Amino acid sequence: MESVHNPHFFECILDLDTPKLANYQIRYKEGEHERVTYDTYAFRSPKLTDFDIHLFTEGNHHRIYEKLGAHSDTIDGVNGVYFAVWAPSARNVSVLGDFNFWDGRKHQMRKFGNGVWELFIPEVTVGAHYKYEVKNWEGHIYEKSDPYGFQQEVRPKTASIVTDLDTYQWNDAQWMEERRHTEPLSGPISVYECHIGSWNRASMSEPHKLPDGTVEPAIQAIELDPGGRFLTYREMAETLVPYVKELGYTHIEMLPVAEHPFDGSWGYQVTGYYAPSSRFGTPEDFMYLVDKCHEQGIGVIVDWVPGHFPKDGHGLAFFDGTHLYEHGDPRIGEHKGWGTLVFNYGRNEVRNFLVANAIFWFDKFHIDGMRVDAVASMLYLNYCREDGEWVANKYGGCEHIEAADFIRQTNHVLFGYYPGTLMIAEESTAWPMVSWPTYVGGLGYNLKWNMGWMHDMLDYFHMDPWFRQFHQNNITFSIWYHHSENFMLALSHDEVVHGKSNILGKMPGDDWQKFANVRCLFAYMFAHPGKKTMFMGMEFGQRKEWNAWGTLEWELLQYEGHQNIQRFFKDVNALYRSEPALYEQDFAEEGFQWIDCTDNRHSVVSFIRRAKDTDEFIVTVCNFTPQPHSHYRIGVPEAGFYTELFNSDAREYGGSNMGNLGGKWTEEWWFHNYPQSLDLCLPPLGVLMLKLNREKTTAALAEGQASQA
């Protein structure tokens, strides 16, 4: 090669039709060093096609993450990595990495269709660190992490890492196949919500070991919090999973695990939407955690944040020197209260980025559901905005039409690929048909958090029991509307932070009454129609409010009171999973029936939960005051012996052990419009669940007939 036009440029003419020259190499000198390498620009990758660009442009490339980003590839027998990024307004885009000394002049990318830049770089391997250097038309340079990158460096570093997600050997084929043929809403769903960075921690002196047994000092060195270092995904697979299994929960819900730069955001300010956080290990380690959950019969739900993203310079903000991912008008594209930006849902490629991201987590990591954060912030243009700070839609309303269309598209596409999964909306307004199918005009989620029930319950249980007689509506109001949506009852992390105290601290009275109130609240929650979610620490009566920088107060379990409440949750979960009447008809009117909801003088309610396609039912009686009642009568639909299945006031839970000696026979005493009734002993701040024992009733009836004969 010769320098013909410029002393810094060398050139020659090659006939690339000659097979030997298809992947030619160049030998060159840098000072006294000589190197031999392939010419990057001699390779044309077939990975990205015109059809890919067409689908991406119209927002319908559901697996665009297999084309954009960084992917190991082999072209003409040469191994390397194919890079592709969407930056339509950039003047130049280069790949920076440890393989080119982070020099943006060495690997400038080619521009493909619709502003996608691509380049195959030979001899780059899995594990390489890289970024994109984006130069706009004014000459300003931005160094960006890969929006479609599968792994990032541990913060505060921000480079993406070339990763192969197809090497892990899954062991959950049976789980995945059974899930496809299961209707989850007809089964029990009891969710343990968990922030994996603060559920538990390891001692700083305890090293983080890799799967091969070697010690990895990088993660340990960066975790200097006095609470100890983070557990890894694999360590949580050996500790968190059996703990949740023992307590009887059906699912683990993890606060966002996608990469985020600031620990204090709890994961809700995402910069790496396609990358599990490297704080806890590699993507393969996260796969191992999910695999272990499925091995133990536990589903995995992750929090997903498509509503907003942070302004960090290495992230999506102002990606190609323009408002690419965010809406350009700050009255639409910015949440000033949160200091974040809002996606431009009306742009097809942005919508495609998010729809494909939802599919990605189900596809590559086998998760079983998503809880979608802050849905209301997406649906309303005036969300947390004063008059004059927002722009109306084309009809003059405050509804964000493009965001609603994006939500419908996501749910419609996702359930097409992955039936039997869950999409749960954290939606706090009266937007109609959130959990209705898209084909009838709904948003397409299959569950919605019941925020109204949560506020009513916490307000009710916070007040002194004497005043509860004047607020019976707090207990009963949710039944008026609970058939309008598929509701999930949730007492989440948001209720135990920012000075709100933990659940135990919200309760009035002395310590005995506090624990009794907690048992009463959760027993009523498990008997009430709707699926269940509760935050970590509630199951053993954490006293302090949640601290994301530390760990749960596990030391409390040395005390009997906290052991008792943990036993209560284990038993109430077991009862819930064993009785179809408590979950089969959560969303059908036939599944719930009041016996009496008007006894506000005693602050007592009683009701029936019915199973589907059988005559099985559960009678529940709740006494929300510390005043016991020795002869409290309720009507029941059938005569016989009613076994006391569950008593929240039992001695093993720390209660006073008042009850009904295992059950009660009915009496022919017309009450509550039933010809039969039960004379019950109601314990203080207690919930009873009773079930007709048909075998014992039938045997007694046969014995009575025989004695008469």
Side-chain angles (χ1 to χ4, degrees):
M1 304 179 73
E2 298 178 352
S3 56
V4 178
H5 300 99
N6 187 294
H8 299 293
F9 288 87
F10 295 80
E11 59 185 273
C12 67
I13 298 175
L14 300 176
D15 182 6
L16 294 183
D17 291 332
T18 304
K20 292 182 179 180
L21 296 177
N23 52 5
Y24 63 85
Q25 293 177 299
I26 301 173
R27 178 183 290 111
Y28 61 95
K29 288 186 177 181
E30 293 177 327
E32 297 181 356
H33 300 282
E34 185 176 281
R35 293 185 61 196
V36 177
T37 185
Y38 290 97
D39 182 3
T40 299
Y41 300 98
F43 296 88
R44 294 294 270 175
S45 173
K47 183 173 285 289
L48 201 62
T49 67
D50 290 337
F51 188 56
D52 291 322
I53 295 298
H54 169 76
L55 292 176
F56 181 55
T57 302
E58 67 177 21
N60 287 319
H61 200 311
H62 301 153
R63 286 188 166 85
I64 189 64
Y65 52 85
E66 294 180 345
K67 300 301 178 78
L68 299 184
H71 303 272
S72 296
D73 204 352
T74 301
I75 300 177
D76 297 331
V78 179
N79 296 327
V81 174
Y82 177 83
F83 296 90
V85 63
W86 179 57
S89 296
R91 189 177 77 182
N92 300 93
V93 181
S94 301
V95 182
L96 306 174
D98 46 17
F99 44 84
N100 63 14
F101 307 103
W102 303 92
D103 188 341
R105 299 171 298 175
K106 294 191 174 183
H107 290 111
Q108 297 192 43
M109 305 178 78
R110 304 186 187 94
K111 194 170 186 179
F112 202 64
N114 193 34
V116 174
W117 301 75
E118 53 92 40
L119 188 67
F120 175 79
I121 304 180
E123 299 181 307
V124 176
T125 60
V126 169
H129 294 59
Y130 71 99
K131 285 186 178 182
Y132 295 116
E133 181 184 271
V134 182
K135 182 183 290 187
N136 69 5
W137 285 96
E138 286 75 36
H140 300 151
I141 293 176
Y142 310 89
E143 292 187 4
K144 295 288 188 178
S145 302
D146 190 347
Y148 291 87
F150 297 151
Q151 187 178 357
Q152 287 188 10
E153 292 180 295
V154 179
R155 49 86 180 106
K157 297 181 179 180
T158 57
S160 299
I161 302 174
V162 178
T163 304
D164 187 352
L165 297 183
D166 297 324
T167 58
Y168 181 78
Q169 297 297 313
W170 288 92
N171 301 294
D172 63 349
Q174 181 177 351
W175 171 278
M176 298 293 283
E177 182 60 25
E178 290 177 356
R179 188 185 73 184
R180 287 184 56 83
H181 303 287
T182 300
E183 170 46 63
L185 299 190
S186 64
I189 297 178
S190 176
V191 180
Y192 185 80
E193 186 189 32
C194 177
H195 177 253
I196 57 178
S198 60
W199 178 76
N200 206 350
R201 298 214 176 175
S203 168
M204 291 298 296
S205 61
E206 183 181 345
H208 167 221
K209 292 185 178 181
L210 295 172
D212 61 4
T214 59
V215 175
E216 181 186 40
I219 293 181
Q220 180 182 353
I222 204 167
E223 304 303 342
L224 301 179
D225 191 283
R229 68 165 177 83
F230 293 140
L231 296 180
T232 66
Y233 293 122
R234 289 180 180 267
E235 288 171 326
M236 283 183 281
E238 308 305 326
T239 54
L240 171 64
V241 175
Y243 177 77
V244 172
K245 174 72 172 180
E246 181 183 4
L247 288 177
Y249 292 94
T250 63
H251 292 74
I252 296 174
E253 178 190 328
M254 302 176 192
L255 272 61
V257 296
E259 195 59 82
H260 52 282
F262 178 48
D263 293 2
S265 75
W266 312 335
Y268 288 101
Q269 295 193 6
V270 179
T271 52
Y273 275 83
Y274 286 83
S277 178
S278 296
R279 290 168 176 79
F280 315 110
T282 67
E284 189 170 281
D285 294 338
F286 182 65
M287 294 176 185
Y288 178 81
L289 173 57
V290 175
D291 213 4
K292 281 296 181 181
C293 286
H294 291 172
E295 179 184 293
Q296 296 299 317
I298 299 172
V300 177
I301 301 169
V302 299
D303 278 17
W304 188 45
V305 194
H308 61 116
F309 59 92
K311 299 178 180 179
D312 295 64
H314 68 281
L316 299 177
F318 216 63
F319 188 83
D320 63 351
T322 67
H323 297 289
L324 185 63
Y325 285 91
E326 69 271 21
H327 199 286
D329 189 333
R331 296 173 297 175
I332 302 175
E334 184 175 2
H335 280 305
K336 291 184 178 180
W338 297 345
T340 56
L341 301 173
V342 180
F343 285 102
N344 184 356
Y345 303 107
R347 189 162 190 169
N348 290 346
E349 297 89 347
V350 174
R351 194 170 66 252
N352 200 145
F353 171 83
L354 292 170
V355 173
N357 183 242
I359 294 170
F360 166 81
W361 288 94
F362 288 87
D363 177 22
K364 297 299 184 181
F365 295 104
H366 291 200
I367 67 167
D368 304 287
M370 280 181 161
R371 176 262 192 187
V372 185
D373 180 63
V375 173
S377 73
M378 292 187 279
L379 291 175
Y380 295 95
L381 293 163
N382 61 346
Y383 184 85
C384 288
R385 294 181 175 93
E386 301 294 335
D387 291 343
E389 294 182 348
W390 59 281
V391 181
N393 62 35
K394 60 185 178 181
Y395 301 110
C398 63
E399 298 82 7
H400 199 325
I401 297 171
E402 292 84 358
D405 288 342
F406 150 70
I407 290 170
R408 292 187 183 97
Q409 180 186 0
T410 301
N411 291 326
H412 176 77
V413 169
L414 189 65
F415 288 128
Y417 284 113
Y418 300 105
T421 57
L422 298 171
M423 287 296 283
I424 307 164
E426 187 217 6
E427 206 287 312
S428 55
T429 74
W431 187 285
M433 301 192 296
V434 171
S435 59
W436 290 39
T438 56
Y439 58 77
V440 297
L443 291 183
Y445 294 104
N446 51 7
L447 284 169
K448 171 185 173 176
W449 273 18
N450 193 337
M451 309 296 282
W453 177 88
M454 178 270 295
H455 286 296
D456 286 344
M457 290 301 100
L458 294 183
D459 289 345
Y460 184 82
F461 276 89
H462 181 69
M463 67 180 69
D464 185 283
W466 188 86
F467 293 100
R468 292 176 183 176
Q469 61 185 307
F470 307 112
H471 298 272
Q472 186 89 341
N473 186 60
N474 283 49
I475 291 294
T476 61
F477 181 60
S478 58
I479 300 300
W480 285 94
Y481 62 82
H482 89 91
H483 297 304
S484 64
E485 299 276 4
N486 298 336
F487 281 118
M488 173 171 274
L489 311 181
L491 293 169
S492 72
H493 64 278
D494 281 328
E495 315 320 317
V496 294
V497 289
H498 302 320
K500 299 176 186 175
S501 180
N502 217 302
I503 290 294
L504 193 65
K506 297 177 189 291
M507 302 300 168
D510 58 17
D511 226 34
W512 189 93
Q513 289 197 41
K514 287 180 182 293
F515 278 107
N517 271 296
V518 170
R519 297 193 304 269
C520 190
L521 166 60
F522 281 100
Y524 178 60
M525 174 182 179
F526 274 82
H528 190 288
K531 308 308 180 184
K532 329 296 178 186
T533 292
M534 54 172 287
F535 189 56
M536 63 182 192
M538 295 180 183
E539 80 279 5
F540 62 82
Q542 168 127 340
R543 291 185 178 272
K544 296 179 182 177
E545 68 177 27
W546 171 49
N547 174 21
W549 303 96
T551 184
L552 298 181
E553 296 179 283
W554 295 108
E555 65 275 9
L556 292 176
L557 283 171
Q558 65 184 299
Y559 303 110
E560 185 178 10
H562 297 275
Q563 295 171 10
N564 291 337
I565 195 73
Q566 191 181 57
R567 187 178 300 113
F568 162 84
F569 277 101
K570 182 177 180 179
D571 288 354
V572 78
N573 267 313
L575 174 70
Y576 171 65
R577 297 179 69 164
S578 66
E579 292 295 338
L582 294 177
Y583 60 77
E584 278 189 340
Q585 297 201 93
D586 273 326
F587 315 116
E589 292 188 35
E590 310 84 61
F592 179 90
Q593 179 184 351
W594 285 117
I595 295 175
D596 183 16
C597 62
T598 62
D599 188 8
N600 63 293
R601 187 167 66 90
H602 296 105
S603 296
V604 173
V605 296
S606 52
F607 54 89
I608 296 171
R609 294 295 310 279
R610 295 186 183 276
K612 186 178 182 180
D613 299 330
T614 71
D615 54 3
E616 297 293 320
F617 61 91
I618 302 288
V619 172
T620 301
V621 189
C622 308
N623 177 15
F624 296 114
T625 72
Q627 174 64 50
H629 303 286
S630 57
H631 293 284
Y632 192 91
R633 186 167 295 277
I634 64 167
V636 290
E638 294 185 42
F641 183 81
Y642 282 75
T643 302
E644 188 176 87
L645 295 178
F646 190 82
N647 183 346
S648 70
D649 189 54
R651 178 181 290 113
E652 55 265 33
Y653 308 143
S656 62
N657 208 40
M658 293 185 68
N660 297 277
L661 301 176
K664 278 290 186 77
W665 287 95
T666 58
E667 299 173 341
E668 293 186 15
W669 186 327
W670 190 280
F671 216 74
H672 293 142
N673 292 321
Y674 290 115
Q676 304 288 332
S677 60
L678 290 170
D679 181 10
L680 297 174
C681 173
L682 299 190
L685 293 170
V687 174
L688 302 177
M689 298 189 204
L690 305 105
K691 182 179 181 180
L692 177 63
N693 188 327
R694 298 184 183 280
E695 183 177 344
K696 187 171 183 176
T697 300
T698 302
L701 181 62
E703 183 179 346
Q705 291 173 344
S707 62
Q708 289 178 5

